Amino acid sequence: MAEALLEVRNLKTYFLTEAGTARAVDSVSFSISERQVIGIVGESGCGKSVTALSIMRLIPPPGIIAGGEMLFGGKNLLGLPEREMESVRGNEISMIFQEPMTSLNPVFRIGEQISEVLLRHKPISKKEAAEQTLRLLRQVGIPSPEIRVREYPHKMSGGMRQRAMIAMAIACKPRLIIADEPTTALDVTIQSQILALLDMLRETEGMAILLITHDLGVIAEMAEEVLVMYTGRVVEHARVKELFKNPLHPYTQGLMRSVPGREGRGKKRLEAIPGVVPSLLALPLGCKFNTRCPYSFDRCFREEPPLAAPEGGHPVRCWLY
Amino acid sequence: MLQNVNLLQVKGVKKHYPITRGLLRRQVGVVKAVDGVDLDIKRGETLGLVGESGCGKSTLGRVILGLEPPTEGEVFFDGQNVSSIKGEQLHQLRRRMQVIFQDPYSSLNPRRTVGKTIAEGMIIHDIGTSAERAERVREIMEVVGLRPEQINRYPHEFSGGQRQRIGIARALAINPDLLICDEPLSALDVSIQAQVINLLEDLQEKFQLTYLFISHDLSVVRHISDRVAVMYLGQLVEMAETEELFQNPKHPYTRALLDAVPVMDPDGAKERRKLGAEADAPILPDLCLFQPRCPQSMPDCAQSAPELIEVAPSHWVKCLAYDQAGTPKS
C-alpha cells in the first residue's frame, strides 16, 4: 500500500463536564492513503463525528484532545501552532457537513463563499478566484453556474446546496476530505447523485475521503475499509467486503440484522439490539457492549477486551475471539 | 352499524395552497401539495405511503386527520365524511384516528409528565374517572415497553426511542382504529428503529390497528406494509401489494427510487438508473409531472397526461408507457 496520507494513533478526545469526564473518543487508530475511502460507522454518540472534528482540531470546550498523534504528510497535527493549523483546514483537509443549510452562511452569495476559501489560501486575484469558482460549480454539476453563483443558499434545494458545499470543500484541491453524514439530510435519489459525485472527485482529483455515516448501505457502496465505533471505541476494523461477509463483533452483527426490508413483511421479526447505548459518563465495567450483548459471559463484565485480530481474521474488540 | 371493509377512503383529494405576494396579498400562484389522490385502506391493513420530501405525503396525512380541509375531494372514515362533519361528531371521529410524529423531541410537551401526556386524550374525550385513567396509563405504558413507575418523569429524562414509545402510548390510550405514523422512525438510530418497528407490529396484532405508514425509507416500508403507494409531487404514481411493487416496479420513478437505495452488499455494485438532476426544467401541469426527470420519456409524454390505471390485479400505475393491458408500449 502507498504511504499513509493521514495516520491517527491512539486519539483520545475527552469532554470535561461537571458531571465527569466523557471519553468521547478513546484510543482510536487508523490510517488513510491517497484515493482511499475509509468509512466510520456507528450510532449517535459513538464518537464518529468527534473523531472528525478532532482531526480538524475543532473540538469545542469543554472538549480537549487528551492524547494521541495525528500524522498528516509527516507533520503531527496536534503539535502544530494554531496559525499553521489554519492553513491546513480548508486547504489540505476540508470537511463536508450533514446539513448544508446550517453550514453555509445565509447572508452571503454562494459564489462569495467559495471565492473566500480560495482567496484565504491561494495567492490569486479576486478575478481569478471568481473564474475558479465558476469552474468549481460546473465541476460539481450545478446547472447554469453563472446564475447560481449570485444566489443565496436559501434559494437552492438541499441537493444543490450540498453540491455547493462540496465545491467549497474541493476549492483548494485538498488531499483529504472528511465527509460527516454528507447525504443524511437528502432524499435517496439525490443521495445517489452526491455519492457518485464524491466518487468521481476521488478518482479525478486523487483525494482521500474519510466518510462518516450511520448508514451501512452507504458504507458498502463507497468505502474500502471501515471502522465500527461504539461508545468512543473502535469495536471492529476491516476491509468492507470482509466486514459484510464476516462481521465478527456482536454489535456489528446486530446492526446488520436491525436493518429491515431485505425480505418481505410478516416473514420475520427484526432482531433488534435490546436496550440502549450506555451514557459515556456511566459506562459499564469490562466490555462496553456487555449490557446489550446476547453472547456476554463473565469475563466480559470484568475486563475490557482489546482490539485484536484473531487468526485469519480482522481486528475486533471482543472476548469471543 | 354497517361495517365497511375499507376503514378509510380517500377520494380525489386535492390540497392547494395559494402563493400570495404584496401588501394586498394578491394570489400569484398555487402550490399543489396534494393533487388528486385516491386510495383506500382496509381494516387491519398497513398502507405504506412513500415519496421524497415535498411530495405531499405528510399533507395528505393531515387532510385525512381532518387537520386541514381538502381543497377538493373527500375523505371517508368508516363511511363518514371527515371533511363535512363538525362539532361533536368530528370530536368522536377524532378519537378513532390518532397520529404519531417524526420527532419525539418536539412532539412532546417538555413541561408535562409522561403520565399527563398519555392521559391527555382520555381527558379530552372524557373517558373514565381519574383513577381509571391512571390505571389505563400504567397499563398502556407497560404495553409499549415503558416502566409504569416512570409515570411522573418528564420527556427529557428519556432517550429518543423511549420518547417515541411515549408518543405511541399517547396515541393508543384512547383505543383508536387508525394510526397515522408520519415518519415515526426517522429520528432514531438503526438499532432502536428495529425495536420500534417490532413494537408497532405487535401492537397492530394485539389491538387490530390499521396503519397509514408515511415514510421516505423504502426498506422500512417494505418490511411493515401490506400495500405501498408511491407519491411524486402531490400525485400517486404507483400503488401495489408490497412484494409486487418491490419485485416488479413499473413506474420509472419507483424504479429510480428503488435503485437509489444503497444496498448492504459491497459486491453488488448496481447499475444505477441515473435520474436527471432535480427538475430545473419547468414542470408542465397538464403532462406527466415526472417527465422532466424521466429517463424513459417518450414523444407521447409531451402530448398528454397519464391516468392511474390498473395494469395487473391491484397494481396501479400512472405512466403512459403502460396501456390498459399492463404491457409496456413498444
Side-chain angles (χ1 to χ4, degrees), chain A residues 56-70:
Chain A
M56 295 295 265
R57 280 187 38 200
L58 288 173
I59 295 295
I64 54 156
I65 297 178
E69 278 183 318
M70 298 190 293

mmCIF file of all heavy atoms in Angstrom, chain A residues 56-70:
data_model
loop_
_atom_site.group_PDB
_atom_site.id
_atom_site.type_symbol
_atom_site.label_atom_id
_atom_site.label_comp_id
_atom_site.label_asym_id
_atom_site.label_seq_id
_atom_site.Cartn_x
_atom_site.Cartn_y
_atom_site.Cartn_z
ATOM 1 N N MET A 56 -9.627 17.871 12.556
ATOM 2 C CA MET A 56 -9.598 19.282 12.157
ATOM 3 C C MET A 56 -9.172 20.187 13.315
ATOM 4 O O MET A 56 -9.045 21.384 13.146
ATOM 5 C CB MET A 56 -10.988 19.722 11.688
ATOM 6 C CG MET A 56 -11.484 19.034 10.445
ATOM 7 S SD MET A 56 -10.478 19.453 9.009
ATOM 8 C CE MET A 56 -11.403 20.801 8.312
ATOM 9 N N ARG A 57 -9.015 19.611 14.481
ATOM 10 C CA ARG A 57 -8.757 20.368 15.721
ATOM 11 C C ARG A 57 -9.811 21.440 15.955
ATOM 12 O O ARG A 57 -9.513 22.593 16.219
ATOM 13 C CB ARG A 57 -7.346 20.960 15.705
ATOM 14 C CG ARG A 57 -6.331 19.906 16.081
ATOM 15 C CD ARG A 57 -4.932 20.409 16.251
ATOM 16 N NE ARG A 57 -4.805 21.718 16.868
ATOM 17 C CZ ARG A 57 -3.704 22.475 16.745
ATOM 18 N NH1 ARG A 57 -2.670 22.045 16.055
ATOM 19 N NH2 ARG A 57 -3.646 23.636 17.331
ATOM 20 N N LEU A 58 -11.042 21.011 15.820
ATOM 21 C CA LEU A 58 -12.159 21.935 16.009
ATOM 22 C C LEU A 58 -13.038 21.498 17.177
ATOM 23 O O LEU A 58 -14.243 21.685 17.157
ATOM 24 C CB LEU A 58 -13.007 21.996 14.729
ATOM 25 C CG LEU A 58 -12.390 22.712 13.540
ATOM 26 C CD1 LEU A 58 -13.245 22.547 12.297
ATOM 27 C CD2 LEU A 58 -12.185 24.186 13.844
ATOM 28 N N ILE A 59 -12.436 20.906 18.191
ATOM 29 C CA ILE A 59 -13.206 20.440 19.335
ATOM 30 C C ILE A 59 -13.575 21.634 20.225
ATOM 31 O O ILE A 59 -12.715 22.368 20.674
ATOM 32 C CB ILE A 59 -12.384 19.421 20.160
ATOM 33 C CG1 ILE A 59 -12.111 18.172 19.340
ATOM 34 C CG2 ILE A 59 -13.099 19.058 21.460
ATOM 35 C CD1 ILE A 59 -13.342 17.371 18.985
ATOM 36 N N PRO A 60 -14.882 21.836 20.443
ATOM 37 C CA PRO A 60 -15.291 22.969 21.275
ATOM 38 C C PRO A 60 -15.116 22.645 22.747
ATOM 39 O O PRO A 60 -15.207 21.497 23.146
ATOM 40 C CB PRO A 60 -16.771 23.121 20.936
ATOM 41 C CG PRO A 60 -17.219 21.733 20.545
ATOM 42 C CD PRO A 60 -16.019 21.049 19.960
ATOM 43 N N PRO A 61 -14.848 23.657 23.600
ATOM 44 C CA PRO A 61 -14.786 23.404 25.026
ATOM 45 C C PRO A 61 -16.142 22.923 25.525
ATOM 46 O O PRO A 61 -17.142 23.296 24.923
ATOM 47 C CB PRO A 61 -14.439 24.760 25.632
ATOM 48 C CG PRO A 61 -14.446 25.751 24.522
ATOM 49 C CD PRO A 61 -14.634 25.039 23.237
ATOM 50 N N PRO A 62 -16.210 22.081 26.538
ATOM 51 C CA PRO A 62 -15.129 21.645 27.407
ATOM 52 C C PRO A 62 -14.353 20.445 26.875
ATOM 53 O O PRO A 62 -13.754 19.703 27.649
ATOM 54 C CB PRO A 62 -15.885 21.263 28.680
ATOM 55 C CG PRO A 62 -17.195 20.708 28.177
ATOM 56 C CD PRO A 62 -17.510 21.491 26.939
ATOM 57 N N GLY A 63 -14.336 20.275 25.545
ATOM 58 C CA GLY A 63 -13.630 19.138 24.982
ATOM 59 C C GLY A 63 -12.145 19.417 24.861
ATOM 60 O O GLY A 63 -11.731 20.545 24.617
ATOM 61 N N ILE A 64 -11.334 18.385 25.055
ATOM 62 C CA ILE A 64 -9.899 18.523 24.843
ATOM 63 C C ILE A 64 -9.388 17.267 24.140
ATOM 64 O O ILE A 64 -9.963 16.193 24.296
ATOM 65 C CB ILE A 64 -9.106 18.684 26.158
ATOM 66 C CG1 ILE A 64 -9.451 17.527 27.107
ATOM 67 C CG2 ILE A 64 -9.355 20.018 26.814
ATOM 68 C CD1 ILE A 64 -8.371 17.257 28.119
ATOM 69 N N ILE A 65 -8.342 17.449 23.345
ATOM 70 C CA ILE A 65 -7.685 16.272 22.796
ATOM 71 C C ILE A 65 -6.663 15.850 23.843
ATOM 72 O O ILE A 65 -5.697 16.566 24.113
ATOM 73 C CB ILE A 65 -7.042 16.579 21.440
ATOM 74 C CG1 ILE A 65 -8.155 16.968 20.453
ATOM 75 C CG2 ILE A 65 -6.265 15.366 20.925
ATOM 76 C CD1 ILE A 65 -7.682 17.342 19.072
ATOM 77 N N ALA A 66 -6.945 14.724 24.476
ATOM 78 C CA ALA A 66 -6.180 14.356 25.659
ATOM 79 C C ALA A 66 -4.952 13.524 25.326
ATOM 80 O O ALA A 66 -4.089 13.328 26.183
ATOM 81 C CB ALA A 66 -7.079 13.586 26.629
ATOM 82 N N GLY A 67 -4.879 13.037 24.094
ATOM 83 C CA GLY A 67 -3.699 12.254 23.788
ATOM 84 C C GLY A 67 -3.734 11.718 22.380
ATOM 85 O O GLY A 67 -4.736 11.824 21.675
ATOM 86 N N GLY A 68 -2.613 11.163 21.950
ATOM 87 C CA GLY A 68 -2.533 10.557 20.636
ATOM 88 C C GLY A 68 -1.703 11.383 19.676
ATOM 89 O O GLY A 68 -1.138 12.420 20.038
ATOM 90 N N GLU A 69 -1.629 10.889 18.460
ATOM 91 C CA GLU A 69 -0.870 11.557 17.412
ATOM 92 C C GLU A 69 -1.690 11.543 16.150
ATOM 93 O O GLU A 69 -2.425 10.594 15.895
ATOM 94 C CB GLU A 69 0.409 10.759 17.117
ATOM 95 C CG GLU A 69 1.544 11.005 18.054
ATOM 96 C CD GLU A 69 2.773 10.209 17.605
ATOM 97 O OE1 GLU A 69 2.615 9.035 17.207
ATOM 98 O OE2 GLU A 69 3.865 10.764 17.656
ATOM 99 N N MET A 70 -1.554 12.599 15.348
ATOM 100 C CA MET A 70 -2.190 12.593 14.041
ATOM 101 C C MET A 70 -1.167 13.072 13.031
ATOM 102 O O MET A 70 -0.866 14.256 12.955
ATOM 103 C CB MET A 70 -3.414 13.522 14.044
ATOM 104 C CG MET A 70 -4.482 13.076 15.032
ATOM 105 S SD MET A 70 -6.012 13.982 14.830
ATOM 106 C CE MET A 70 -5.509 15.619 15.327
#
